[in-house]
Amino acid sequence: MKIHIVMVEPEIPQNTGNIARTCAIINAKLHLVKPLGFEMSDKYLKRAGLDYWDKLDIEMHESFEEFLVKYPPAKNNMFFATTKGKHCYSDVEYNKMEEIFLLFGKETKGLPEDILQKYLDRTIRIPMRENFRSLNLSNSVAIVAYEVLRQTNFKNLQEISNYFDNK
């Protein structure tokens, strides 16, 4: 299965750096949709991503509209992560799909309301306490991405450490 993590107008470089690191580790493609709230040369972005940048499959998009034209939601398995989501992220059967797109909005506003309304049946949420705004964006990406991987038995990932093999 190919996982695409789509960040729509991310604002905080440290979050995007952490997400880039997660994408490199799980072999997911990272899509960054402009405008970005930082420069790609930002030191905090680079530091959070550590030395994984050269191992990352990344695609830049000039706008959300451009992304949606290139990857139409009707033709792709897209899930829109939002605190307003209709389904719990862990209730979706991701393991039946060859390729999926997980979309996340900017830290301050999330995904555009018109998109959420249009694809309401494809919205997912992470359960949390009532009256709290949201989890940290990079944590949310990791939670949902690892649920996808769990459902596929972590295919193509090293599940067991070989640390003790050398002891």
Side-chain angles (χ1 to χ4, degrees):
M1 167 187 296
K2 181 65 178 171
I3 301 172
H4 297 259
I5 303 294
V6 182
M7 307 307 304
V8 180
E9 302 180 13
E11 301 167 313
I12 300 173
Q14 294 92 329
N15 279 338
T16 302
N18 287 337
I19 292 163
R21 183 177 177 184
T22 298
C23 287
I25 287 171
I26 66 172
N27 196 30
K29 182 171 186 173
L30 176 62
H31 298 260
L32 295 179
V33 179
K34 294 179 181 180
L36 307 179
F38 49 85
E39 298 292 324
M40 288 302 290
S41 60
D42 186 287
K43 68 179 182 177
Y44 298 110
L45 173 76
K46 296 297 182 187
R47 180 158 175 13
L50 294 176
D51 57 346
Y52 293 97
W53 289 100
D54 64 331
K55 297 159 186 68
L56 181 64
D57 183 5
I58 187 167
E59 184 175 340
M60 300 293 287
H61 303 275
E62 291 302 316
S63 69
F64 193 37
E65 292 74 25
E66 176 195 283
F67 170 81
L68 293 173
V69 167
K70 185 169 183 180
Y71 300 100
K75 294 182 179 178
N76 293 283
N77 293 312
M78 287 195 183
F79 297 93
F80 302 84
T82 172
T83 57
K84 305 169 189 101
K86 186 173 180 178
H87 305 283
C88 180
Y89 77 101
S90 58
D91 290 342
V92 177
E93 293 183 349
Y94 305 104
N95 59 345
K96 297 184 179 200
M97 301 170 204
E98 301 254 342
E99 184 172 42
I100 64 162
F101 290 77
L102 302 172
L103 283 76
F104 298 84
K106 64 171 92 178
E107 289 89 342
T108 56
K109 293 184 182 177
L111 291 165
E113 191 71 30
D114 61 323
I115 293 294
L116 297 178
Q117 290 298 323
K118 188 171 183 179
Y119 300 104
L120 188 59
D121 282 341
R122 292 284 181 150
T123 59
I124 56 173
R125 74 181 303 273
I126 299 168
M128 58 185 178
R129 288 176 53 194
E130 198 172 337
N131 300 320
F132 282 76
R133 263 195 332 249
S134 64
L135 287 165
N136 172 276
L137 184 58
S138 63
N139 292 340
S140 297
V141 169
I143 288 168
V144 177
Y146 268 86
E147 172 60 18
V148 172
L149 294 167
R150 184 194 67 76
Q151 287 188 20
T152 61
N153 294 315
F154 303 101
K155 187 175 181 183
N156 300 321
L157 296 180
Q158 179 185 0
E159 270 191 84
I160 300 170
S161 169
N162 58 9
Y163 176 78
F164 292 104
D165 293 347
N166 300 321
K167 299 291 177 194

